[in-house]
Amino acid sequence: MEIRLNRDTAYVLDAVLDVRLTLMDSAQVFHWTEHEGAFYAVISGRALCVRIEQTGFSIAPCDSETLEFALDYFDLRRDYGALRTACEEWPVVARAMDMLPGLHVLNQDAWEALLAFILSANNNVTRIRRLVMALCEALGERFELDGRVLYGFPSPETLAATPESLLRALGVGYRAPYLIGAARAVAGGFPLNNLHSLPYEEAHAELLKLPGVGDKVADCVLLFGCGHASAFPVDVWVERMMKCWFGMNERGRVRVSARGRALLGAQAGILQQYMFHCARTGLIPLEPGAIPSARGAAAQA
DNA sequence: AGCCAGGTTTGGC
DNA sequence: GCCAAACATGGC
């Protein structure tokens, strides 16, 4: 990987990051937009434009401080090649990683991840994106970049003071009081930005205190917003994947999550993201009977 | 038209 | 502790 910083644009070359897959198609972040081959969003209060270049991608506007931020945000310091090598003992995980080269798990802002995944509950990806965008447009700070208008996430204070009726008018439905309750907690001192440095179990228990946050949303916030790579969110797709390919038949996704973490280790959540995408998009089948025979498994590996 | 979606909450055993 | 039902909304 080679990094150049020219004027206000950073170039990251020879990095295996699939920008479109990671920002637009992976359902870990919902507020990037694509326009004329470039990707735009406001993240952590910065309006950014990311472009795919010949041998990598560029970030603008970017100074040295933003570049450091971006290296973290795009998870460019993790050795995904080594992670792939460590997956040989789990053929379906290896297969998922091989099918999605350049998929990274972003390191998002914890508050932004919290809002997005409260909205994700019992919802589909298309509508989650609509709701996140609507929330930002209605209540977030307005930015302009390259003549395009962008919106950040609302602050905890803003959201805490927003009438529930306004949120319902945006279409968030019964999640409106969850958003407001979580915002009031954070505005009132809930230690959202300390969860990075807590052990997984403690950070998870803390998040469960927030309204609208159960085990699965907590794991998403920990994985996508708090640097907890071992957090293993289990939604309907990952549950089907673990049932079909690992024979996990326990009742309750909490048990599946615990087993996934125990089995796959410190970066279980990263691996989860590959399996989730393969399951959700049909790249890997989930019907009983999809599991290859011993002969097939050997041939596949 | 009807089932489903990156679930959580609540209330009843 | 476990389970079922309710919850808003719209995608497909």
Side-chain angles (χ1 to χ4, degrees):
Chain A
M1 189 172 77
E2 178 189 345
I3 298 168
R4 280 189 238 145
L5 188 51
N6 288 348
R7 301 167 189 246
D8 71 335
T9 303
Y11 295 85
V12 181
L13 306 177
D14 301 320
V16 279
L17 172 67
D18 186 327
V19 173
R20 179 177 284 101
L21 173 60
T22 299
L23 296 182
M24 305 299 296
D25 301 333
S26 71
Q28 59 180 307
V29 66
F30 303 95
H31 67 294
W32 284 86
T33 56
E34 182 172 3
H35 181 74
E36 292 180 352
F39 303 87
Y40 295 87
V42 177
I43 48 177
S44 301
R46 316 152 190 268
L48 291 183
C49 172
V50 176
R51 289 177 192 279
I52 297 172
E53 309 286 349
Q54 281 78 4
T55 65
F57 64 99
S58 63
I59 305 162
C62 193
D63 56 14
S64 61
E65 196 274 335
T66 299
L67 177 57
E68 286 304 304
F69 168 84
L71 293 180
D72 178 56
Y73 181 79
F74 291 104
D75 207 29
L76 293 166
R77 297 187 174 98
R78 187 184 306 277
D79 189 343
Y80 282 81
L83 188 55
R84 166 62 184 84
T85 302
C87 289
E88 287 301 336
E89 54 181 309
W90 311 297
V92 71
V93 185
R95 180 176 164 195
M97 286 199 78
D98 289 343
M99 295 181 101
L100 303 168
L103 174 60
H104 278 208
V105 171
L106 299 169
N107 293 115
Q108 302 179 53
D109 176 79
W111 166 243
E112 298 177 2
L114 175 63
L115 293 184
F117 283 93
I118 286 176
L119 289 173
S120 79
N122 196 28
N123 214 339
N124 60 65
V125 172
T126 307
R127 211 168 80 89
I128 297 165
R129 182 170 287 112
R130 271 196 1 145
L131 294 179
V132 169
M133 292 290 221
L135 182 69
C136 292
E137 287 178 21
L139 297 167
E141 184 181 351
R142 184 180 189 278
F143 290 77
E144 282 189 37
L145 180 61
D146 301 343
R148 300 194 56 74
V149 177
L150 306 170
Y151 294 91
F153 280 80
S155 68
E157 293 74 17
T158 296
L159 192 53
T162 299
E164 184 180 321
S165 58
L166 190 158
L167 295 180
R168 286 189 181 267
L170 297 179
V172 306
Y174 62 85
R175 305 170 190 87
Y178 301 160
L179 292 173
I180 294 169
R184 289 186 176 156
V186 173
F190 181 89
L192 192 55
N193 291 315
N194 294 354
L195 301 181
H196 286 267
S197 48
L198 287 184
Y200 165 82
E201 305 285 358
E202 293 178 32
H204 189 271
E206 277 299 309
L207 279 170
L208 289 185
K209 297 174 181 171
L210 296 175
V213 179
D215 292 288
K216 190 272 177 180
V217 169
D219 278 331
C220 286
V221 174
L222 291 174
L223 175 61
F224 300 127
C226 300
H228 280 276
S230 78
F232 195 79
V234 177
D235 72 319
V236 290
W237 297 107
V238 174
E239 181 178 39
R240 290 167 189 159
M241 179 70 87
M242 301 311 281
K243 177 174 296 191
C244 178
W245 292 92
F246 291 88
M248 292 192 186
N249 288 309
E250 25 271 299
R251 326 183 316 287
R253 296 178 189 168
V254 177
R255 269 82 175 270
V256 177
S257 176
R259 278 195 64 188
R261 262 171 55 76
L263 176 68
L264 301 175
Q267 301 187 83
I270 311 294
L271 304 179
Q272 173 273 165
Q273 188 61 16
Y274 288 88
M275 290 191 284
F276 164 75
H277 193 271
C278 285
R280 188 176 79 85
T281 60
L283 284 172
I284 290 179
L286 301 171
E287 311 84 54
I291 303 178
S293 63
R295 173 183 54 78
Q300 172 192 307

